[in-house]
Amino acid sequence: MGTIEQKVIETYEYLHDHAEISWEEVETTKYIKKFLEKSGCRVTVFNDCTGVIGEYGNFNNDLPVVGIRADMDALWQEVNGKFQPNHSCGHDAHMSMVLGVLMKLEENPELKDKVAVKFIFQPAEEKGSGALKMVGKQVVENVDYLYGVHLRPIQEAKMGKATPVIVHGASKMYSATIKGDDAHGARPHLNHNAIEIAAQIVNMMSQIHLDPRVPHSAKMTSIQAGGKSTNIIPGNASFSLDLRAQNNEIMEQLEKKVRSIFNSVQDLYDVEIDITDVAGIVAAATNDEAIAIMSKSISETLGEDNLNPPLVTPGGDDFHFYTIKKPSLKATMLGLGCDLQPGLHHPDMSFNKDALMNGVNILYRAVLNTY
């Protein structure tokens, strides 16, 4: 195993073993900052949030700036009976591959005056808010091309194959509360059971019918109601919803339907439903030039037979906020086959680590092919 391969694997193992959740990627930021500084990057960190930026190459002339983005955060998840930060979405792999590109550039010092590469290590992708924070920090203001990467489940891309673009859908996450009064278990006529109200919301969402040609879904993903006393009918509850749609237009329609359900349920049961938080991710805005560059890079690295077509997936990623907020940005996300199973966000997610160097080499070629 060569030096870069060893370093990439070692980096992955460290980041995997030191996972941190959204907005708490403090040690991860320190680790990457140190790595970037040792590699001669001009490094930027922030005093009000995690995340770190490294600039490598020649930023003093008219070269286009190529950004490479890696998400940093882990999920908070039950693993073997214990809740802990867990990199079951592959962000540890993404960071390792992007650092591997920097290693490849260092290995070819003659390129330093010929490229301008901005390494963007972004926090809080899982919250859907990290990219917007980086946009607010003007991180992509001088960036012309932006490349991302994401491991793909085995059902979407097998080991040794890759897609030049992931056409993610839009998503919205709602947190809300039901506000009513508790009642004695023997007197159900004196209140409205918050659990039954939540069930009514679930039933009504299942009856939403939008354009069947566009994938979409709405489901309740958490609910907390009641306490230790089993003879109290709870009048209060808190719950979360996850909404998905393959494009932004259907997402807008879906949101209107859900908010209409809230209003109807409030009137029917004479309770208050307060929306306490809304977070969301827009659907992908694709760029043909960036996709063509990534396609060429995959073909050169893995062979033309291993270039998969564009991947349409109901999953979401806040990567697409960069292009929504800066429409001139030419961006795409590499989808990397790695035999990932049982699936993304599964607590026991695993993948073929040999794919890490495939990702490094594809992204490295994408940088070179951009110039």
Side-chain angles (χ1 to χ4, degrees), residues 247-302:
N247 62 43
N248 294 318
E249 292 74 26
I250 291 294
M251 175 56 75
E252 185 178 350
Q253 295 176 33
L254 189 58
E255 278 197 277
K256 285 182 180 178
K257 293 285 188 182
V258 168
R259 286 176 179 264
S260 177
I261 288 170
F262 287 174
N263 291 333
S264 299
V265 169
Q266 285 184 119
D267 292 340
L268 179 62
Y269 292 101
D270 194 25
V271 295
E272 291 182 28
I273 298 178
D274 291 339
I275 298 170
T276 56
D277 186 58
V278 181
I281 296 170
V282 291
T286 59
N287 179 268
D288 290 342
E289 184 180 345
I291 293 169
I293 291 170
M294 192 62 72
S295 296
K296 180 182 179 185
S297 304
I298 293 169
S299 295
E300 291 174 350
T301 305
L302 303 178

Side-chain angles (χ1 to χ4, degrees), residues 109-335:
E110 72 280 2
L111 293 173
K112 192 163 187 179
D113 288 333
K114 300 176 182 178
V115 299
V117 183
K118 195 166 193 176
F119 295 94
I120 301 169
F121 291 90
Q122 176 213 300
E125 187 279 328
E126 297 295 352
K127 293 288 187 183
S129 52
L132 287 172
K133 185 73 170 180
M134 294 297 100
V135 170
K137 296 289 186 183
Q138 300 184 325
V139 164
V140 294
E141 186 175 352
N142 66 336
V143 176
D144 300 290
Y145 295 83
L146 182 65
Y147 302 127
V149 59
H150 208 299
L151 304 182
R152 302 319 303 162
I154 191 170
Q155 299 89 345
E156 293 183 351
K158 296 199 171 12
M159 177 66 189
K161 296 183 178 290
T163 178
V165 59
I166 305 174
V167 187
H168 284 108
S171 65
K172 280 288 176 74
M173 287 73 74
Y174 277 75
S175 297
T177 59
I178 298 167
K179 292 185 177 181
D181 297 309
D182 290 350
H184 193 288
R187 297 171 178 83
H189 61 292
L190 295 181
N191 84 332
H192 290 292
N193 188 332
I195 296 172
E196 293 176 356
I197 294 171
Q200 180 73 351
I201 292 171
V202 172
N203 289 335
M204 292 176 76
M205 287 195 303
S206 71
Q207 297 170 41
I208 294 174
H209 299 295
L210 301 175
D211 189 339
R213 297 169 298 176
V214 182
H216 59 275
S217 68
K219 57 273 182 194
M220 190 171 290
T221 53
S222 72
I223 179 170
Q224 292 83 38
K228 293 183 179 180
S229 299
T230 56
N231 62 345
I232 294 176
I233 302 169
N236 300 297
S238 60
F239 64 90
S240 301
L241 303 181
D242 179 283
L243 313 184
R244 303 275 166 168
Q246 199 57 54
N247 62 43
N248 294 318
E249 292 74 26
I250 291 294
M251 175 56 75
E252 185 178 350
Q253 295 176 33
L254 189 58
E255 278 197 277
K256 285 182 180 178
K257 293 285 188 182
V258 168
R259 286 176 179 264
S260 177
I261 288 170
F262 287 174
N263 291 333
S264 299
V265 169
Q266 285 184 119
D267 292 340
L268 179 62
Y269 292 101
D270 194 25
V271 295
E272 291 182 28
I273 298 178
D274 291 339
I275 298 170
T276 56
D277 186 58
V278 181
I281 296 170
V282 291
T286 59
N287 179 268
D288 290 342
E289 184 180 345
I291 293 169
I293 291 170
M294 192 62 72
S295 296
K296 180 182 179 185
S297 304
I298 293 169
S299 295
E300 291 174 350
T301 305
L302 303 178
E304 288 187 16
D305 291 344
N306 293 314
L307 171 64
N308 280 359
L311 173 64
V312 178
T313 173
D317 198 295
D318 74 351
F319 177 84
H320 306 295
F321 277 124
Y322 292 111
T323 48
I324 294 294
K325 295 298 183 180
K326 186 182 179 182
S328 63
L329 194 61
K330 299 170 182 177
T332 193
M333 178 174 281
L334 166 69

